[in-house]
Amino acid sequence: MASQGLTYDGCNFFRQRLVLSTLSGKRVKIRNIRSKDDNPGLRDFEASFIRLLDKVTNGTRIEINQTGTVLFYQPGLLYGGVVEHECNTQRSVGYYLEALLMLAPFMKNPLKAVLKGVTNDPTDPSVDQLKYTSIPVMKRFGIDGEGLELKVVKRGMAPGGGGEVLFTCPVRKTLRPIQLSEPGKIKRIRGIAYSVRVSPQMANRIVDSARSILNKFIPDIYIYTDHMKGDKSGKSPGFGLTLVAETLNGTFLSAEQVSTPQGQGDPVLPEDLGRNCAKLLLEEIYRGGCIDSANQSLALVYMTLGQQDVSKVLLGHLSPYTIEFLRHMRDFFQMMFKIETQKPAEDERKGGDKVLMTCVGAGYTNISKSIK
């Protein structure tokens, strides 16, 4: 794999590049990281992300220049095992978890990661959302069993954090190809309304306002309330809601909203938050597809690294993040997807335009995994 490395400019899509570099074994150089900024170079949360990658790999070489504007990354072997990481509170644990979800099945040892920091914030997907939507996606590819778990041990809201998350994942020699072209009809909606260091009544108010919208569409709605107390409640007050719609074919579509972090901007009412989240969920259902927009790139990376067999998946509107991800896939794996747009017929209530993504897996086998 001693192929020539790739060079990129700027700090955008930083995680994508390092994750794909680690999976493909190709080294990466990223230049001009915020070089024109008043405060140039890598941010603390990016440095924290690099440290996490260093912990789950063995023999990774990382060089950063003095100003932090140039990063050289030569990936080692994905080692896994037991890892504990204090995530920087500028970003939520979801920022770090998204990358681990992509890497975990390909490690030498099953991963057991304890991540500490902010579990729910307005920018990144929350741990709850990843638990309800990413884990089912992983199961579709044959990554399952009792070793697969994502659990919120303590909740920590932004900006203080203080949350704790446990993620365990088994390793797989190969991933199974998938054929998902029928999302199916929505059969039920589940959700979790959480509150920490505020009145538990907040969660109930969120639930009532979300139901006021969703009850018009479907009777089977159950939203749990989760109020963590004492040392499990992190350092900052806050509340939020994660909603998940499940279809008959086992597709999970999600939406979430989190209260404004303490001391940043205008406070938000639980009623507004519940209603906005319900509307976001309806928007996500309209967008549709067999995998929700938060997990598009996760599914595509598993398809790329699957067996040398055809995988197909119907996605809703591709997010800008996913489009950039496809470009990076081409750089690192020379992987091209066949993309066909599908317009729903006039009379059918099938929501927005869909995209059928097809590829032949690269036949990536986990070299460090011995055959049992």
Side-chain angles (χ1 to χ4, degrees):
M1 293 295 267
S3 57
Q4 76 292 4
L6 295 158
T7 305
Y8 291 105
D9 266 349
C11 62
N12 281 351
F13 310 107
F14 182 76
R15 283 181 307 167
Q16 287 188 13
R17 290 165 182 170
L18 294 188
V19 165
L20 292 175
S21 157
T22 309
L23 287 170
S24 66
K26 291 184 178 168
R27 54 183 194 271
V28 173
K29 186 176 183 184
I30 303 178
R31 304 176 307 200
N32 298 328
I33 302 175
R34 301 191 180 86
S35 49
K36 295 196 167 58
D37 223 46
D38 292 344
N39 176 10
L42 291 169
R43 294 282 175 266
D44 292 348
F45 67 87
E46 291 163 332
S48 174
F49 180 73
I50 297 171
R51 280 197 295 280
L52 176 62
L53 286 183
D54 194 35
K55 285 179 187 172
V56 297
T57 56
N58 195 351
T60 297
R61 218 174 95 225
I62 300 158
E63 291 169 17
I64 301 171
N65 71 346
Q66 272 177 321
T67 52
T69 52
V70 180
L71 165 74
F72 173 77
Y73 180 85
Q74 184 164 357
L77 290 172
L78 276 166
Y79 190 74
V82 180
V83 173
E84 198 169 298
H85 189 64
E86 194 70 54
C87 300
N88 186 283
T89 52
Q90 290 170 349
R91 299 296 288 261
S92 87
V93 170
Y95 173 85
Y96 303 88
L97 256 178
E98 279 186 298
L100 283 186
L101 292 171
M102 290 184 180
L103 299 170
F106 307 106
M107 297 193 174
K108 181 171 179 181
N109 304 302
L111 180 69
K112 182 183 179 203
V114 175
L115 301 175
K116 297 179 177 176
V118 174
T119 53
N120 305 80
D121 77 352
T123 21
D124 296 298
S126 71
V127 179
D128 304 277
Q129 186 177 18
L130 296 173
K131 176 179 171 176
Y132 293 124
T133 61
S134 305
I135 300 291
V137 170
M138 295 172 83
K139 289 180 175 166
R140 298 247 173 168
F141 287 90
I143 308 160
D144 48 17
E146 62 222 44
L148 182 64
E149 188 189 17
L150 182 53
K151 191 165 112 197
V152 181
V153 186
K154 300 177 181 175
R155 231 177 243 299
M157 305 295 288
E164 187 177 311
V165 175
L166 173 72
F167 172 52
T168 57
C169 180
V171 283
R172 288 289 175 263
K173 178 124 177 82
T174 53
L175 299 184
R176 71 163 85 113
I178 57 163
Q179 308 280 330
L180 299 178
S181 53
E182 273 300 314
K185 290 191 161 66
I186 305 285
K187 65 172 174 180
R188 59 176 171 214
I189 291 174
R190 293 288 177 266
I192 179 164
Y194 48 86
S195 55
V196 291
R197 298 193 175 272
V198 293
S199 151
Q201 201 48 44
M202 291 292 197
N204 302 337
R205 285 163 63 186
I206 294 173
V207 173
D208 291 345
S209 60
R211 291 192 70 120
S212 70
I213 289 183
L214 298 174
N215 275 344
K216 298 172 190 161
F217 300 100
I218 191 169
D220 187 354
I221 299 175
Y222 195 90
I223 304 174
Y224 300 87
T225 53
D226 171 48
H227 182 71
M228 285 195 171
K229 298 189 184 69
D231 63 343
K232 291 207 160 94
S233 64
K235 299 175 180 168
S236 299
F239 50 86
L241 172 65
T242 302
L243 289 173
V244 182
E246 187 186 344
T247 72
L248 293 166
N249 295 356
T251 292
F252 293 86
L253 304 166
S254 67
E256 61 179 355
Q257 285 260 270
V258 183
S259 60
T260 323
Q262 190 183 18
Q264 300 172 12
D266 299 327
V268 55
L269 281 169
E271 283 77 10
D272 295 344
L273 184 131
R275 275 194 298 273
N276 289 344
C277 192
K279 287 174 185 161
L280 281 172
L281 182 71
L282 295 174
E283 211 169 286
E284 186 64 55
I285 291 169
Y286 176 79
R287 221 180 269 144
C290 295
I291 288 184
D292 72 335
S293 45
N295 291 297
Q296 288 176 348
S297 41
L298 180 69
L300 294 174
V301 94
Y302 287 164
M303 282 166 72
T304 298
L305 299 175
Q307 300 164 19
Q308 286 179 318
D309 203 340
V310 178
S311 276
K312 278 185 184 183
V313 65
L314 186 72
L315 298 177
H317 194 68
L318 294 182
S319 68
Y321 188 82
T322 307
I323 292 167
E324 202 55 49
F325 196 83
L326 288 166
R327 292 183 180 138
H328 282 108
M329 286 287 214
R330 193 184 56 203
D331 293 351
F332 285 97
F333 289 102
Q334 285 73 57
M335 173 59 69
M336 306 284 266
F337 281 81
K338 181 174 164 207
I339 303 178
E340 302 159 85
T341 49
Q342 295 190 349
K343 286 203 182 304
E346 294 287 313
D347 54 336
E348 288 185 59
R349 294 190 182 177
K350 286 277 178 74
D353 296 354
K354 308 280 185 288
V355 188
L356 185 65
M357 311 285 290
T358 314
C359 80
V360 175
Y364 180 93
T365 41
N366 186 341
I367 38 178
S368 50
K369 187 79 200 121
S370 56
I371 302 173
K372 295 265 191 312

